[in-house]
Amino acid sequence: MENGIDLRDDSQTDFIYCCGAITEVLKFGSCHLNFGNKVLFLIIPGNPGVVGFYRTFMQTLHSMFGYRHPVWAVSHAGHCSPPGSMDMVDDVSLITEQDVFGLNGQIEHKLAFLRKHIPRETSLVLIGHSIGCYIILEMMKRDPELKIKKAVMLFPTIERMSCTPQGKVMTPVLCHMRYVAYLPLFLLSLLPERLKTILIKLVFGGIRSLDHSVVQPTVSLLSRCAANAMYMGSQEMRKVLERDNMTIRKHLDKLVFYYGATDHWCPVQYYHEIKRDFPNGDFRLCENGFRHAFVLDAGKEVAKMVVEWVRGDLKTEFLLFSLSTDCPR
């Protein structure tokens, strides 16, 4: 404790290359995993995949579990502004061949991150937001040996994205008019940081309970990586089509879905349909009026709910770990 601030709430930010692209990893708790870290919370963000948006959410998760479990978030490839000593990519041929900034490339990017940076024996609590939920389902399908304890799907965009109210607006913008937006984005990136910050605060001025920790990540988004986010979004509109019922059925006992009541990216109709198709699943409908981009003003509140949803599973994990360490060899 220093000046009334618990130092355990401090975070660390690492910039690494994964699949040849700059990647930001935000970490609360242990920065290097070992045998003592049996459980890791890993956030798979929405789009834009800027991890700074989830700072309050992550900090709340970390503190409410008594600082026992590390909480990490991994950005999407190219969805961060690299520090001065690094470039956006370190292997142009790999980026091109594997389409790392595209939707499939981002899925493989997360699997590559797990293989390289997280011990195989670590139990994972995956938390996806928006397109991050689709990515998690794909990760579960492509690597069935992952030790996933629970997967929490917040405002999941896992089906028929282009058919949603927001999708109908954004599909022509992202798929046919994307290049038109690049010039104003480039001009915005040239503005001084202070002026960009003022503009962002004006845009967010209508949000009464704005979490001010999201302002700086938004500024960084405008600086260099908005084009990568738009490119990924164009592929989401084309590729996120039918719901992956087979993967959901296979992992139903590990999944928790939380749908928004006024979510234009994922209509309530989708909630009722998936609940009908999987009557034994854990599907929840928001009763608190949270927006799809909950990180803007409700990161703490949503984190508190997630804690309650997964607490029982982690108690079981802790009990099994204690028994295994107490058993004579």
Side-chain angles (χ1 to χ4, degrees), residues 49 55 122 207 215 238 247 260 269 285:
R55 181 175 294 277
T122 304
I207 302 177
V215 173
R238 291 188 172 107
T247 300
Q269 171 194 347
L285 184 64

Side-chain angles (χ1 to χ4, degrees), residues 155-176:
F155 305 91
T157 53
I158 58 173
E159 58 177 308
R160 295 174 288 169
M161 283 188 68
S162 64
C163 299
T164 66
Q166 195 69 15
K168 290 176 181 177
V169 173
M170 293 305 297
T171 295
V173 173
L174 292 171
C175 296
H176 307 298

Side-chain angles (χ1 to χ4, degrees), residues 42-312:
L42 183 63
I43 316 298
I44 309 296
N47 186 5
V50 179
V51 294
F53 288 140
Y54 298 86
R55 181 175 294 277
T56 297
F57 176 75
M58 295 170 66
Q59 188 177 48
T60 305
L61 282 176
H62 190 224
S63 63
M64 288 195 70
F65 278 113
Y67 306 100
R68 290 190 303 274
H69 308 300
V71 180
W72 292 9
V74 56
S75 78
H76 295 320
H79 287 216
C80 58
S81 293
S85 60
M86 302 177 76
D87 295 320
M88 184 65 77
V89 301
D90 77 336
D91 189 335
V92 176
S93 62
L94 186 65
I95 296 292
T96 305
E97 290 168 11
Q98 299 186 5
D99 191 21
V100 175
F101 295 149
L103 182 56
N104 182 69
Q106 297 288 3
I107 297 165
E108 292 299 325
H109 170 266
K110 304 306 173 295
L111 291 171
F113 174 80
L114 288 177
R115 286 192 297 269
K116 188 169 183 180
H117 298 280
I118 297 176
R120 197 68 176 174
E121 65 272 12
T122 304
S123 290
L124 299 169
V125 177
L126 299 179
I127 301 177
H129 174 217
S130 192
I131 194 62
C133 303
Y134 177 88
I135 291 174
I136 286 175
L137 288 177
E138 283 294 316
M139 291 166 66
M140 297 173 94
K141 178 166 68 175
R142 298 183 191 193
D143 190 352
E145 300 304 314
L146 285 173
K147 283 191 64 178
I148 298 173
K149 190 71 180 173
K150 209 74 176 176
V152 179
M153 312 296 213
L154 301 173
F155 305 91
T157 53
I158 58 173
E159 58 177 308
R160 295 174 288 169
M161 283 188 68
S162 64
C163 299
T164 66
Q166 195 69 15
K168 290 176 181 177
V169 173
M170 293 305 297
T171 295
V173 173
L174 292 171
C175 296
H176 307 298
M177 300 162 59
R178 188 173 77 251
Y179 297 101
V180 177
Y182 285 172
L183 178 58
L185 284 173
F186 172 71
L187 295 175
L188 279 172
S189 72
L190 299 178
L191 295 175
E193 294 295 296
R194 189 162 176 265
L195 184 52
K196 280 188 280 193
T197 300
I198 292 171
L199 289 174
I200 294 301
K201 287 181 176 179
L202 285 173
V203 171
F204 286 156
I207 302 177
R208 187 183 307 171
S209 303
L210 178 70
D211 181 347
H212 290 280
S213 72
V214 305
V215 173
Q216 189 52 44
T218 309
V219 172
S220 72
L221 174 66
L222 288 178
S223 298
R224 291 195 61 181
C225 50
N228 291 337
M230 292 184 71
Y231 174 66
M232 178 180 171
S234 70
Q235 293 201 354
E236 292 172 35
M237 297 304 110
R238 291 188 172 107
K239 295 186 176 183
V240 180
L241 303 172
E242 298 305 314
R243 189 200 318 141
D244 185 357
N245 289 335
M246 187 175 298
T247 300
I248 293 172
R249 184 174 294 109
K250 182 177 180 180
H251 300 284
L252 191 60
D253 61 325
K254 298 178 181 179
L255 297 170
V256 180
F257 288 84
Y258 186 73
Y259 283 80
T262 56
D263 189 346
H264 296 302
W265 277 115
C266 191
V268 175
Q269 171 194 347
Y270 289 8
Y271 160 77
H272 289 300
E273 290 174 355
I274 196 171
K275 191 174 174 65
R276 177 200 65 205
D277 294 342
F278 298 96
N280 296 321
D282 191 346
F283 303 99
R284 301 161 188 259
L285 184 64
C286 177
E287 298 177 349
N288 302 292
F290 296 145
R291 67 181 80 231
H292 182 85
F294 71 91
V295 292
L296 295 179
D297 56 357
K300 184 177 292 186
E301 291 76 12
V302 174
K304 289 177 179 178
M305 294 192 306
V306 172
V307 169
E308 294 307 312
W309 300 340
V310 303
R311 193 190 296 276

Side-chain angles (χ1 to χ4, degrees), residues 11-12 16-17 20 33 46 137 150 227 262 317 323:
S11 62
Q12 175 175 315
I16 61 173
Y17 287 114
L33 301 180
L137 288 177
K150 209 74 176 176
T262 56
E317 177 78 19
L323 290 173

